[in-house]
């Protein structure tokens, strides 16, 4: 029986991944006309430690060059996202229902603590989580399972008591290696490998059914 649900944030609670890479493509495509949106797909699910060398390699830049790092920063901040606009509509009701059923709810995101706080505060859901964990707390990011092992320790739960909700290849791999059942949110816009997930869902509403059946 599941006693805790651990959510990823980007691509799961908020439909942010396509927004991020579309904006990065728009920012750099004038200077790098050969760059396609599809070229950016592998970056989905990466944290900031990984995406800098990825984008540098893609654009033929030096990942330690301050000018490049500033450009990449500007590419991100220029999106000026208002996160309630891309919050999946099922999220507030789902989080409330899970808490009403007595389940623990946690967030384990590769995003920075600052961005997590910005998203949760704007969307008014910060108080719904028992624990909020950022990948920036660890040396290794997803697909390494460290973030999920740590989150379960904070919850005081064993892997078999938890359900992880993910979307990207990296996140699903991390959950599976941690020994946890993963529910993969399908997204046909990206070539994710979701084969290691135990469950596959089309909408977050399906999480309640999974919890009730377990």
């Amino acid at each position: 029986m599941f006693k805790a649900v651990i959510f990823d944030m980007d691509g799961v609670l908020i439909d942010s991944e396509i927004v991020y890479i579309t904006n990065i493509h728009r920012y750099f495509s004038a200077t790098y006309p050969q760059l396609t949106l599809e070229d950016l797909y592998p970056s989905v699910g990466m944290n900031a430690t990984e995406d800098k060398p990825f984008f540098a390699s893609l654009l033929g830049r030096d990942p330690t060059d301050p000018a490049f790092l500033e450009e990449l920063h500007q590419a991100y901040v220029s999106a000026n996202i208002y996160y309630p606009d891309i919050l999946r509509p099922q999220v507030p009701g789902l989080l409330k229902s899970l808490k009403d059923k007595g389940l623990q709810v946690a967030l384990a995101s590769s995003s920075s603590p600052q961005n997590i706080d910005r998203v949760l505060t704007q969307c008014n859901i910060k108080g719904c989580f028992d624990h909020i964990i950022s990948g920036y707390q660890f040396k290794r990011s997803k697909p390494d399972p460290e973030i999920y092992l740590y989150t379960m320790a904070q919850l005081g739960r064993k892997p078999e008591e938890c359900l992880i909700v993910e979307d990207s290849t990296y996140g699903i791999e991390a959950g599976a290696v941690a020994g946890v059942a993963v529910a993969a949110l399908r997204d046909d816009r990206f070539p994710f490998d979701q084969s290691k997930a135990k469950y596959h869902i089309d909408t977050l509403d399906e999480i309640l059914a999974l919890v009730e059946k377990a």
Side-chain angles (χ1 to χ4, degrees), residues 61-199:
R61 302 288 295 274
D62 177 356
T64 64
D65 178 12
F68 166 71
L69 295 176
E70 178 59 24
E71 287 177 46
L72 189 58
H73 173 70
Q74 290 302 319
Y76 276 114
V77 300
S78 64
N80 195 27
I81 302 168
Y82 180 59
Y83 289 102
D85 288 342
I86 58 173
L87 179 71
R88 296 196 188 275
Q90 306 93 348
V91 169
L94 172 61
L95 297 178
K96 182 179 185 304
S97 295
L98 292 172
K99 297 296 289 183
D100 288 346
K101 290 180 180 294
L103 278 83
Q104 293 172 289
V105 180
L107 181 74
S109 169
S110 296
S111 192
S112 69
Q114 295 82 2
N115 194 54
I116 291 172
D117 185 71
R118 187 179 304 114
V119 171
L120 300 186
T121 300
Q122 283 189 11
C123 295
N124 196 29
I125 56 173
K126 188 174 181 179
C128 298
F129 297 95
D130 296 290
H131 293 280
I132 298 169
I133 311 299
S134 164
Y136 280 48
Q137 297 172 225
F138 312 100
K139 291 182 179 179
R140 301 179 300 275
S141 60
K142 302 173 186 178
D144 189 281
E146 186 175 12
I147 187 171
Y148 283 125
L149 296 173
Y150 178 84
T151 302
M152 286 188 287
Q154 295 301 299
L155 292 167
R157 295 298 177 189
K158 300 175 182 178
E160 60 268 24
E161 296 177 310
C162 299
L163 176 67
I164 288 173
V165 188
E166 271 283 2
D167 63 323
S168 72
T169 304
Y170 298 123
I172 293 167
E173 171 77 11
V177 174
V180 183
V182 178
L185 182 62
R186 293 187 181 94
D187 192 334
D188 294 335
R189 294 171 296 182
F190 303 109
F192 293 145
D193 178 1
Q194 299 185 331
S195 61
K196 293 185 178 180
K198 183 174 183 178
Y199 308 103

